[in-house]
Amino acid sequence: MSQAHDDALKPSNFLRTIIERDLEQAEQQQGQLGMAERRFAGSPGDAAHHAAGPLDPAKMRTRFPPEPNGYLHIGHAKSICLNFGLARDYGGVCHLRFDDTNPEKEEQEYVDAIKEMVAWLGWSWDQNDTSHLFYASNYFDFMYRAAETLIEGGHAYVDEQTPEEMRVNRGDFTTPGTNSPFRDRSPAENLARFREMRDGKHPDGAMVLRAKIDMASPNINLRDPALYRIRRATHHNTGDQWCIYPMYTYAHPIEDALERITHSICTLEFEDQRPFYDWLLEHLADAGLLARPLPHQYEFGRLNLSYVVTSKRKLRQLVEENHVSGWDDPRMPTLVGMRRRGYTPESIRAMVDSTAVTKQNAWIDYSVLDGYLRADLEGKAARASAVLDPLKLKLTNFAEIFGSLEHREPCSAPAHPHLPELGQRSFSFGPELWVEREDFMEVPSKGYHRLFPGNKTRLKYGYVVECTGCEKDADGNITAVLATIVPDTKSGTPGSDAVKVKGVITWVGAHEAVAAEVRLYDRLFTVPQPGAGEADFLTEINPDSCRVVQAWLEPSLAGVAAESRFQFERHGYFIADRKDHRADRPVFNKITGLRDGWGK
Ligand code: ATP
Ligand code: MG
């Protein structure tokens, strides 16, 4: 994608305004007394680590922080393109950080798939010969040390209330919370207790470490949020080293600060967490543990796509209950699924960049994405002929015209009407051809110009034929169409257009057609917002979202590589399936139609 094209698509947004302001300020303040210089030691670390490093060569730092507990979906693409895109546009660096602080549900399979999809979208975490791929679980030691520091400063305490007591004592939107009876223990007592937690002296859930902030705060997130819990679980990176794990709200700000993130961009639901984010980092910077200037959190609205679910829980349910064939089922809004379906990374990036970055969650209509997809594919997908619902067309005067039934009349067509460099594709005309069943009507309806007895039609890139009738089986089903070739009408030869016809149809020679399985996909849900209101999203699954047909393809499609994309003339865009396609058993997925056919 060219830079100019990229920029044209990208409207300004409030994040760009903030970053431009921050960069300008940083420039003005350079070298001023008392201003914290932003140093970066080349790897994540505490205040001392960064103080020993040079000034950060990156003008700003963002991060994409997935939890490796599932596959990325189209909503994540928004966050990826936003974070990597801002870093690219403002001379910054974007980190790929696995937020793997939760020992349950996290797996290497997801880590690998996430890396693959970020790269597939066209982004790299390698910059200035440095990899910016990080794992939050590598910061467990620091997080523990920071917790002890908070305890020593009187900013955290071990609470032994039951989870139920804690819930009740937290209060709600209208009632302030009640202080825990354990809230006023001395730092020494808390430290001893916290170390016992770490050393496995207490069962899971017996107590938690909490920040000591304000149980009456109107912001419930500031009512002494939990920082650490006891959980005996094997972690995919640290094994059984820890039986206490940090809570997400405690871990995330620390991860940002250790990595010297400048703009920590997250979705709207974290807005109420921002005061705690700042509270925590200020205390740890005051204690000399974290380098200043500290990162700032900014929230933007989630991207939702109509006719799609993007909750990991619901996506997992679709997979585990076999409503789809897997995470990469071509109907899934996961990036692995969309890739298999044939979506191009360029179209996903263009769609995501065109959607505003605002303070509101947005619902984007699926047709917007399909519009970008078509615009991208139109310019680069080679054309091919395919018959998806085959009916045999017998040319009864073939031997008369060509001297023998064995004759094959060579035909050709451009691989792409506007890309001559893609060359020509070759196929041939024989006595029996495959045409679409809908291209014949024994009794034509009004305005029908294709095959019906007595009518002349052009076989695209071939001859004009005149339909003479059809053959039927004992039950009256049409088994073949009969026609005669009109002499001297071969496309591209002088005088070929002397015979005027109103209809043009596509065809594939039966003597050379390649048999293929073609999977015709439709949207997975029947309603724009599956699961909205009281509805169970599973009851809104489209029962006809996948139809498999046996098709005939033109010979140039024999042996194409998996993931090659084509426009099957008049049918739409198709891709050779990356999992099931074989040279001797082609399998194609329908990516999308030639124009928006939804609801029509
Ligand atoms: P969950 O927290 O339920 O596991 P998640 O979708 O928040 O799911 P994460 O792995 O935490 O998953 O997400 C990584 C990043 O992607 C986060 O910064 C998150 O805010 C962002 N993100 C997730 N979904 C969307 C979306 N629909 N639109 C924009 N950003 C999103
Ligand atoms: Mg999340």
Side-chain angles (χ1 to χ4, degrees):
M1 203 182 294
S2 77
Q3 189 64 43
H5 174 61
D6 245 17
D7 287 346
L9 285 170
K10 224 169 282 171
S12 187
N13 62 53
F14 76 97
L15 288 173
R16 289 178 174 269
T17 309
I18 287 169
I19 291 167
E20 283 161 20
R21 178 205 66 196
D22 290 351
L23 292 182
E24 203 167 299
Q25 263 179 19
E27 192 135 312
Q28 285 165 1
Q29 291 168 352
Q30 230 163 43
Q32 278 181 37
L33 224 58
M35 297 312 304
E37 287 173 320
R38 212 165 47 76
R39 295 180 171 274
F40 182 70
S43 57
D46 63 10
H49 176 74
H50 288 302
L55 288 178
D56 192 346
K59 286 215 166 80
M60 46 91 78
R61 287 181 187 268
T62 56
R63 84 287 173 269
F64 173 64
E67 187 178 349
N69 64 353
Y71 283 79
L72 298 179
H73 53 63
I74 184 70
H76 291 116
K78 173 89 186 172
S79 178
I80 293 169
C81 295
L82 185 59
N83 281 294
F84 279 93
L86 289 172
R88 176 199 58 198
D89 293 350
Y90 291 106
V93 168
C94 180
H95 301 185
L96 174 59
R97 178 205 308 149
F98 286 101
D99 205 331
D100 59 350
T101 54
N102 184 352
E104 294 128 286
K105 304 182 295 184
E106 293 174 358
E107 285 173 36
Q108 189 62 39
E109 175 195 347
Y110 302 130
V111 170
D112 296 339
I114 289 169
K115 284 163 68 176
E116 195 181 342
M117 284 302 105
V118 173
W120 178 73
L121 277 179
W123 303 106
S124 171
W125 49 89
D126 285 336
Q127 212 146 338
N128 317 324
D129 295 325
T130 313
S131 167
H132 300 90
L133 174 68
F134 302 118
Y135 294 85
S137 58
N138 286 334
Y139 313 145
F140 280 160
D141 284 332
F142 179 89
M143 289 174 189
Y144 178 82
R145 177 156 69 99
E148 288 209 346
T149 303
L150 290 175
I151 294 170
E152 285 163 356
H155 304 301
Y157 63 98
V158 173
D159 194 353
E160 297 180 38
Q161 293 183 100
T162 64
E164 178 57 16
E165 285 167 338
M166 264 185 256
R167 195 187 59 75
V168 169
N169 289 336
R170 188 169 293 120
D172 54 31
F173 285 108
T174 50
T175 328
T178 312
N179 283 355
S180 164
F182 301 93
R183 199 173 193 267
D184 292 319
R185 278 176 165 168
S186 69
E189 273 176 286
N190 281 315
L191 199 56
R193 267 290 196 249
F194 186 50
R195 288 180 178 169
E196 287 174 17
M197 282 171 63
R198 176 198 61 189
D199 295 338
K201 300 274 164 58
H202 301 284
D204 286 12
M207 53 192 71
V208 295
L209 183 72
R210 294 177 79 171
K212 191 170 176 178
I213 308 179
D214 179 7
M215 288 304 291
S217 172
N219 181 343
I220 294 179
N221 297 295
L222 291 180
R223 294 184 189 171
D224 294 6
L227 308 180
Y228 263 96
R229 65 201 167 116
I230 307 174
R231 180 78 182 90
R232 285 171 179 75
T234 304
H235 187 279
H236 79 113
N237 180 24
T238 56
D240 292 321
Q241 190 192 340
W242 296 93
C243 68
I244 55 171
Y245 288 95
M247 305 300 288
Y248 175 84
T249 45
Y250 173 73
H252 201 90
I254 292 179
E255 293 159 22
D256 285 343
L258 293 174
E259 292 179 19
R260 302 301 269 132
I261 300 303
T262 56
H263 298 79
S264 175
I265 300 165
C266 62
T267 38
L268 230 41
E269 69 272 23
F270 292 100
E271 193 163 16
D272 290 344
Q273 295 285 358
R274 186 167 8 107
F276 176 69
Y277 186 103
D278 293 336
W279 179 95
L280 178 64
L281 294 187
E282 285 295 338
H283 277 86
L284 295 177
D286 283 348
L289 257 56
L290 290 176
R292 289 184 190 274
L294 293 166
H296 281 286
Q297 175 183 304
Y298 301 95
E299 310 86 18
F300 72 100
R302 290 178 96 87
L303 172 85
N304 299 295
L305 212 54
S306 65
Y307 295 99
V308 149
V309 295
T310 50
S311 137
K312 271 187 209 163
R313 184 182 59 76
K314 289 179 178 170
L315 293 173
R316 180 182 308 280
Q317 204 178 341
L318 289 172
V319 173
E320 286 176 356
E321 296 177 6
N322 296 314
H323 299 290
V324 294
S325 64
W327 288 99
D328 66 351
D329 186 297
R331 292 164 296 178
M332 290 281 273
T334 51
L335 295 180
V336 280
M338 295 176 77
R339 174 185 181 173
R340 192 169 164 201
R341 173 71 169 268
Y343 281 84
T344 60
E346 291 82 359
S347 64
I348 295 175
R349 286 170 60 156
M351 185 278 280
V352 155
D353 284 347
S354 75
T355 60
V357 179
T358 66
K359 282 284 189 183
Q360 239 117 52
N361 292 327
W363 278 90
I364 304 299
D365 198 88
Y366 213 96
S367 60
V368 174
L369 176 57
D370 270 12
Y372 283 105
L373 180 65
R374 282 190 203 98
D376 187 30
L377 291 177
E378 162 57 27
K380 55 191 186 198
R383 293 352 187 206
S385 299
V387 175
L388 302 186
D389 185 13
L391 177 62
K392 179 91 43 94
L393 173 64
K394 294 182 177 172
L395 300 170
T396 51
N397 64 342
F398 189 89
E400 223 172 281
I401 300 248
F402 294 109
S404 147
L405 278 180
E406 267 40 77
H407 178 80
R408 298 294 172 255
E409 181 64 19
C411 300
S412 76
H416 192 289
H418 310 301
L419 298 176
E421 63 272 27
L422 292 188
Q424 295 284 115
R425 51 201 171 93
S426 308
F427 41 94
S428 65
F429 194 75
E432 296 196 345
L433 312 175
W434 293 111
V435 296
E436 295 291 342
R437 192 161 280 276
E438 65 170 28
D439 286 348
F440 173 72
M441 287 184 94
E442 204 173 4
V443 182
S445 56
K446 194 165 176 288
Y448 190 82
H449 298 303
R450 288 170 269 171
L451 298 167
F452 61 86
N455 192 44
K456 291 194 182 78
T457 308
R458 174 166 292 285
L459 299 173
K460 197 171 185 187
Y461 312 120
Y463 288 79
V464 171
V465 297
E466 177 169 353
C467 181
T468 55
C470 64
E471 293 175 352
K472 293 182 183 176
D473 65 13
D475 299 326
N477 300 310
I478 295 165
T479 52
V481 186
L482 304 173
T484 54
I485 302 162
V486 180
D488 304 323
T489 56
K490 187 179 178 189
S491 293
T493 59
S496 65
D497 51 3
V499 179
K500 298 293 175 204
V501 295
K502 284 189 174 157
V504 180
I505 64 172
T506 51
W507 55 278
V508 175
H511 56 280
E512 62 182 8
V514 176
E517 176 178 321
V518 174
R519 300 167 180 170
L520 303 171
Y521 293 108
D522 199 350
R523 50 195 165 186
L524 186 53
F525 292 96
T526 54
V527 296
Q529 300 192 5
E534 301 291 286
D536 173 2
F537 78 110
L538 293 176
T539 65
E540 296 170 330
I541 290 182
N542 175 5
D544 299 317
S545 59
C546 177
R547 199 159 59 83
V548 178
V549 298
Q550 300 302 321
W552 293 108
L553 312 180
E554 72 168 57
S556 73
L557 291 178
V560 299
E563 293 203 277
S564 321
R565 296 180 181 86
F566 296 90
Q567 184 194 103
F568 290 176
E569 292 193 33
R570 85 192 254 189
H571 290 298
Y573 295 98
F574 292 77
I575 185 169
D577 187 73
R578 64 189 299 248
K579 240 184 185 166
D580 300 334
H581 175 78
R582 305 275 178 277
D584 58 347
R585 202 180 73 87
V587 177
F588 281 84
N589 299 327
K590 181 167 183 177
I591 310 172
T592 189
L594 291 178
R595 59 192 88 76
D596 185 12
W598 281 24
K600 284 171 197 153

